Amino acid sequence: MQLLLLLPFYFFSFALGSLSDILYIEKLNADEAQALDNKDFAALEDIFTKNATYNHNFPSSPTVYGIDKIKTVLASDAPPGVISQNTASTESIQLLPPFDEQGAASTATGVVYTTTSFIGQGDLEGQGLFFFAKYKDKYVKTGNFALYGGWRISERIYIAIKLNADVAQASDNKAFSEFENFFTQNITYNIGVVGEPNVYGLDNLKARLTELLPPGSITQQAVNTQSITLLSPFDEQGDAGTATSVVYSVITFIGQGDLAGQARIGFGKFNTKYVKAGDFARYGGWRISERFFIFFVSFPKVD
């Protein structure tokens, strides 16, 4: 009977321990972003383990090992004369067993969505560069509990998702010639409208979108939640050659001229496949090989 009475306190203690661990890890990620913006790279010694690994996923920046090399690489990303703003937003933290008697874990994994803005100053004033990405992290609890409850980042993989944002921007600007940087030549594309067949090939895609988005129409495409999965096999550096994703999107069409005052808003998602091509000059070689748009709802209704 006494044991039964103690059970609620045990589970409360377990939940409290788990919650504190997650909060410590979330603060760890927030302080890492702030350290980068302040160019306080010495602070990274309290955030990463000494033998941590960091993969930028850029051809010119292979996986680095150890906190000293991590500081050097991250310092090179933000040279003098450039202001940065790193935003760590959606954080999905998974505590891993075994758990101790207080419900605290000693290892964890996480996915952290991040946006990095670089703004030029002085001779670089007026120039900017923006990256949309996510971190795939591993965390361990060390013996130093003075900061972050002992939690440190032991592995971080940076996965850029700028590709999808640039596709949206090029579509809004009707810069269809830029699509050669985003899609493979044999792209398969479905715009998600009932009765609309698949479009095969990059040239046919550009022609069809030119018809759908004629001069005089204004669009604004917003891509937000992006769930990207890298597919095996992976090479010796841990890099993948194929990937899939689900990208949520809101598309607004605003009429001009004879269509002034008319608008249509579509809510949906892109089911997308990617392949890594040989051209690493942009997007680390990644290109879209298949994209299907699935409407959730649109206003007015799409027949």
Side-chain angles (χ1 to χ4, degrees):
M1 184 65 180
Q2 289 181 339
L3 180 60
L4 290 176
L5 292 174
L6 289 174
L7 281 177
F9 296 98
Y10 173 80
F11 286 114
F12 176 76
S13 176
F14 185 93
L16 190 60
S18 299
L19 179 60
S20 65
D21 282 333
I22 291 174
L23 291 175
Y24 276 131
I25 293 173
E26 289 180 347
K27 178 168 173 52
L28 186 75
N29 290 317
D31 285 2
E32 190 259 357
Q34 191 172 50
L36 296 179
D37 293 339
N38 294 335
K39 297 181 174 60
D40 183 10
F41 303 107
L44 298 178
E45 296 179 6
D46 292 323
I47 294 171
F48 291 88
T49 61
K50 289 187 179 299
N51 60 345
T53 62
Y54 194 109
N55 188 330
H56 246 139
N57 257 322
F58 294 143
S60 60
S61 181
T63 302
V64 293
Y65 302 90
I67 183 59
D68 290 336
K69 291 184 178 179
I70 290 174
K71 289 191 296 182
T72 299
V73 168
L74 294 180
S76 67
D77 286 344
V82 174
I83 294 175
S84 68
Q85 183 182 63
N86 286 267
T87 303
S89 52
T90 303
E91 297 188 48
S92 177
I93 308 298
Q94 181 68 46
L95 302 177
L96 303 179
F99 302 97
D100 65 17
E101 294 179 354
Q102 284 73 45
S106 58
T107 59
T109 59
V111 175
V112 181
Y113 283 75
T114 179
T115 303
T116 304
S117 305
F118 294 99
I119 308 298
Q121 303 293 300
D123 294 339
L124 299 176
E125 187 172 355
Q127 300 184 38
L129 187 62
F130 308 92
F131 289 92
F132 304 86
K134 67 178 180 181
Y135 296 122
K136 292 187 70 174
D137 289 343
K138 292 182 181 179
Y139 310 93
V140 297
K141 185 176 285 184
T142 65
N144 179 11
F145 296 96
L147 283 171
Y148 313 112
W151 287 101
R152 300 291 185 274
I153 301 170
S154 61
E155 180 179 295
R156 169 156 284 183
I157 299 175
Y158 180 91
I159 303 172
I161 49 181
K162 187 176 186 294
L163 175 60
N164 290 314
D166 283 0
V167 172
Q169 189 174 49
S171 299
D172 291 340
N173 294 334
K174 299 180 179 61
F176 300 118
S177 61
E178 295 182 12
F179 276 25
E180 296 180 5
N181 296 317
F182 311 139
F183 299 95
T184 60
Q185 289 293 325
N186 59 346
I187 174 71
T188 300
Y189 199 106
N190 188 298
I191 65 171
V193 176
V194 175
E196 181 79 19
N198 291 347
V199 177
Y200 299 96
L202 180 57
D203 291 336
N204 291 331
L205 173 61
K206 290 190 289 185
R208 184 62 182 130
L209 291 180
T210 300
E211 295 173 357
L212 293 172
L213 304 173
S217 64
I218 295 176
T219 64
Q220 183 182 61
Q221 300 187 48
V223 293
N224 39 54
T225 302
Q226 304 192 44
S227 176
I228 298 176
T229 302
L230 300 177
L231 303 178
S232 59
F234 301 94
D235 63 19
E236 295 179 353
Q237 285 73 44
D239 294 331
T242 58
T244 61
S245 79
V246 176
V247 180
Y248 284 74
S249 178
V250 179
I251 304 176
T252 305
F253 300 88
I254 301 174
Q256 302 292 300
D258 294 340
L259 300 177
Q262 300 184 38
R264 171 172 288 166
I265 302 174
F267 299 84
K269 66 179 180 180
F270 292 110
N271 285 343
T272 306
K273 294 182 180 179
Y274 310 85
V275 296
K276 186 171 285 187
D279 177 15
F280 294 96
R282 301 183 70 177
Y283 312 112
W286 287 102
R287 298 293 185 273
I288 298 170
S289 61
E290 181 178 296
R291 169 157 281 184
F292 283 41
F293 186 74
I294 301 173
F295 271 110
F296 295 147
V297 66
S298 66
F299 303 95
K301 186 177 182 294
V302 175
D303 298 324

